[in-house]
Amino acid sequence: LICCSQTPHILAFLSEEIIGGHEVKPHSRPYMAFIAFVDVDGRSHSCGGFLVKDNFVLTAAHCRGSSMKVTLGAHNISIREETQQIIPVAKAIPHPYYNLKDYSSDIMLLKLERKANRTKAVRPLRLPRRNVYVKPGDVCYVAGWGQLAPKGKLPNTLQVVELTIQKDQECESRFSRRYNKATAICVGDPKIKRATFNGDSGGPLVCKNRAAGIVSLAYSDGSAPGTFTRVSSFLSWIQKMIKHC
Ligand SMILES: *[C@@H]1O[C@H](CO)[C@@H](O)[C@H](O)[C@H]1NC(C)=O
Ligand SMILES: *[C@@H]1O[C@H](CO)[C@@H](O)[C@H](O)[C@H]1NC(C)=O
């Protein structure tokens, strides 16, 4: 059982902006987590994530770093809102098969130093049901803070974009060996400009009020589709880590 290790490694794809989305009603996505961390070169970064248990946040494995800290209950991330709960990360638990070369198993659990208090602004998101899968054409949502767009004048409030699940072949031709349909989902219609995106890495793809995916890999020009980690492929690992770590 690999619960945690301390060495941060090179980070390749960090938060990018949501393109073609709109601001959400404040606290309408109470599971959203803003994750701040420092990379090996000492630079600050952020990722999205989501609360799955009172003391566990799920995110992408490539969002790993040191001094990790989670903010829950936020809307405008650049101010200290009363609804916010800021909790340091006690343990980062990246999936043992996570591989920087092909981004397979890009999933990580963060155990928080203490439990979050459930409020109207802070509440976990449900994991997908076993053996229930998203299919091409399903419409889902991704939210993120779009914090790090270079020089962009961003409001720093939570944004959301609607995205459509694509056929696996779309991502197999675009990402070749970096797309594995057993562990990833292909998301975002290339024909709809409005809906193309680079959602905050680590944020949830929410389909029918459950966490179907995790923002993983896309081209930096924001063109669709992108690849998301398929949460349903990791349910046993998630449950085991939450129980034992
Ligand atoms: C939860 O509430 C308790 C009691 O009000 C407080 O002491 C604690 O700091 C809160 N936890 C967080 C994570 O904000
Ligand atoms: C978020 O807070 C910053 C800092 O106070 C402010 O400049 C910005 O206008 C706020 N954004 C929104 C959309 O309220």
Side-chain angles (χ1 to χ4, degrees), residues 36-111:
F37 60 98
V38 174
D39 70 13
V40 282
D41 298 320
R43 282 192 293 260
S44 298
H45 293 283
S46 62
C47 267
F50 52 104
L51 196 65
V52 291
K53 274 269 180 276
D54 291 339
N55 58 341
F56 278 95
V57 163
L58 201 54
T59 184
H62 75 264
C63 293
R64 182 137 163 249
S66 54
S67 306
M68 299 192 81
K69 204 174 63 180
V70 167
T71 302
L72 301 166
H75 181 61
N76 186 339
I77 200 64
S78 62
I79 52 180
R80 182 75 173 89
E81 300 159 313
E82 265 179 33
T83 48
Q84 290 179 8
Q85 298 180 37
I86 303 175
I87 313 177
V89 171
K91 273 184 197 172
I93 312 163
H95 194 279
Y97 294 167
Y98 170 61
N99 175 343
L100 253 187
K101 281 203 202 82
D102 62 6
Y103 280 82
S104 66
S105 308
D106 191 8
I107 184 169
M108 173 167 69
L109 270 165
L110 300 177
K111 186 179 187 179

Side-chain angles (χ1 to χ4, degrees), residues 110-129:
L110 300 177
K111 186 179 187 179
L112 306 180
E113 265 185 16
R114 51 184 189 277
K115 284 187 177 176
N117 294 321
R118 290 198 192 192
T119 63
K120 69 171 186 17
V122 176
R123 189 164 294 277
L125 177 62
R126 285 183 300 178
L127 294 170
R129 275 186 235 277

